[in-house]
Amino acid sequence: MNFYVMTLFPEMIEQGMHTSITGRAMEKGLLSLKTVNIRDYSVTGNGRIDDYPYGGGAGMVMQAEPIYRAYEDLLRQTRAQDKIRLVYLTPQGRVFHQAMAQELAQEENLAFLCGHYEGVDERVLEAIVTDYVSIGDYVLTGGELPAMVMMDAISRMVPGVLSNSDSGVSESFSDGLLEYPQYSRPELWRGCPVPPVLLSGHHGNVDRWRHEQSLLRTLRNRPDLLKKESLNKEDLKYLWKLLEEEMDNGLSAEEISVLKNLLGISLKLSD
Ligand code: 6GU
């Protein structure tokens, strides 16, 4: 996978990507990264790449021409002479998620455009951008962190980037549930013991306990991820038990309502 990033802060991208797992993957030749400094393509000669917005209003707008020239230069370096997939990072885009990471990981080349200021001249976006992506419902100062978030998530989907022992973990989100809690030595830490089932050596019980913890966590933190269709009989039995012991479990009204919905219990008291 070859990443290309157009940005005003190439050193930020380089630093981030040359760290940890993505850094190792680049050394191994599984990933490559080329950053392009948009400022190098200023058309005014003084390094300026922004100007006032037509129609007035606060802030500055990144001009079309420097970005277009940066893009042309970038294309020349890809050997894919034609258009390549180009992601523009913007809070107005579609929200990034795991399936999108999986899909983008199939590309040979993937480029990112990081905006700043109040935005980018719409005309250059229409000319070169193929995908508009946001990383969530909050506003950041620029597209660099979102680009790094995306490249990180995409990289770990590229074969060989994760070691074999890591790759199991990568499946955890794709089964639609949150990861179960993990424990390591010592058995007793500051008075807190490891859950006994994990020391039992009974793999069946360990697997079932972990799966139930995943269900509980998903209910607690991301009830929107729990789908009727993906629950089996065992799961439903566990959720029934949770509901029956609702007092002990300290379930919130919302959690109880999600459970009842999943279990097909009418929410109306009058019924
Ligand atoms: Cl992609 N860009 C900016 N500036 N803010 C964001 C974002 C992107 N995604 C969420 N917030």
Side-chain angles (χ1 to χ4, degrees):
M1 163 70 78
N2 304 307
F3 292 123
Y4 301 87
V5 184
M6 293 184 274
T7 171
L8 291 170
F9 303 99
E11 65 292 346
M12 182 177 173
I13 305 280
E14 296 279 354
Q15 279 258 0
M17 290 297 289
H18 278 96
T19 303
S20 186
I21 290 177
T22 47
R24 184 154 33 91
M26 284 197 274
E27 281 166 22
K28 285 204 272 181
L30 296 165
L31 304 176
S32 78
L33 171 68
K34 179 89 184 80
T35 55
V36 175
N37 192 337
I38 297 167
R39 201 172 297 288
D40 293 343
Y41 300 86
S42 163
V43 285
T44 53
N46 58 2
R48 257 191 92 164
I49 47 79
D50 63 339
D51 208 332
Y52 295 99
Y54 278 120
M60 303 294 274
V61 174
M62 288 174 75
Q63 293 169 286
E65 187 61 16
I67 291 172
Y68 195 75
R69 291 187 183 184
Y71 174 73
E72 285 180 316
D73 222 17
L74 183 152
L75 264 194
R76 275 194 281 276
Q77 296 173 45
T78 63
R79 283 174 305 180
Q81 292 299 332
D82 48 346
K83 263 181 89 145
I84 66 167
R85 199 95 178 249
L86 171 61
V87 175
Y88 174 50
L89 288 314
T90 168
Q92 276 98 56
R94 288 171 57 215
V95 178
F96 189 53
H97 53 85
Q98 189 63 32
M100 214 191 275
Q102 185 74 254
E103 191 236 325
L104 290 169
Q106 313 306 313
E107 299 285 332
E108 166 104 1
N109 297 300
L110 187 58
F112 296 89
L113 170 61
C114 304
H116 262 266
Y117 313 111
E118 294 309 302
V120 171
D121 190 307
E122 191 69 19
R123 294 167 296 183
V124 71
L125 298 178
E126 283 170 9
I128 66 178
V129 172
T130 59
D131 301 78
Y132 295 76
V133 181
S134 161
I135 61 163
D137 293 338
Y138 39 82
V139 181
L140 302 168
T141 56
E144 282 75 16
L145 288 171
M148 284 196 272
V149 164
M150 287 187 67
M151 287 189 283
D152 190 294
I154 292 164
S155 295
R156 58 195 295 296
M157 296 293 109
V158 171
V161 169
L162 294 184
S163 65
N164 278 341
S165 57
D166 292 337
S167 52
V169 178
S170 72
E171 306 305 322
S172 62
F173 212 98
S174 31
D175 74 5
L177 296 177
L178 301 183
E179 192 63 29
Y180 50 78
Q182 298 277 13
Y183 300 84
S184 185
R185 288 198 285 184
E187 252 183 69
L188 189 65
W189 175 77
R190 295 193 177 222
C192 306
V194 169
V197 62
L198 299 178
L199 309 174
S200 68
H202 191 301
H203 294 301
N205 287 352
V206 169
D207 288 347
R208 186 148 50 86
W209 181 83
R210 285 180 164 167
H211 186 65
E212 289 175 357
Q213 289 293 309
S214 284
L215 286 167
L216 182 58
R217 277 201 169 176
T218 311
L219 174 69
R220 281 262 145 87
N221 299 340
R222 293 295 307 278
D224 56 302
L225 294 179
L226 281 180
K227 297 277 176 288
K228 244 180 231 159
E229 310 78 67
S230 47
L231 298 173
N232 62 29
K233 243 166 83 182
E234 289 283 292
D235 297 344
L236 291 171
K237 237 164 75 184
Y238 172 70
L239 294 177
W240 264 112
K241 201 185 74 179
L242 273 184
L243 191 58
E244 279 168 3
E245 297 164 2
E246 102 184 46
M247 290 299 178
D248 306 330
N249 288 317
L251 295 184
S252 71
E254 193 207 345
E255 286 159 358
I256 291 171
S257 141
V258 168
L259 274 182
K260 289 188 172 173
N261 208 353
L262 285 169
L263 297 168
I265 303 171
S266 174
L267 296 171
K268 284 204 220 108
L269 288 174
S270 53
D271 286 353

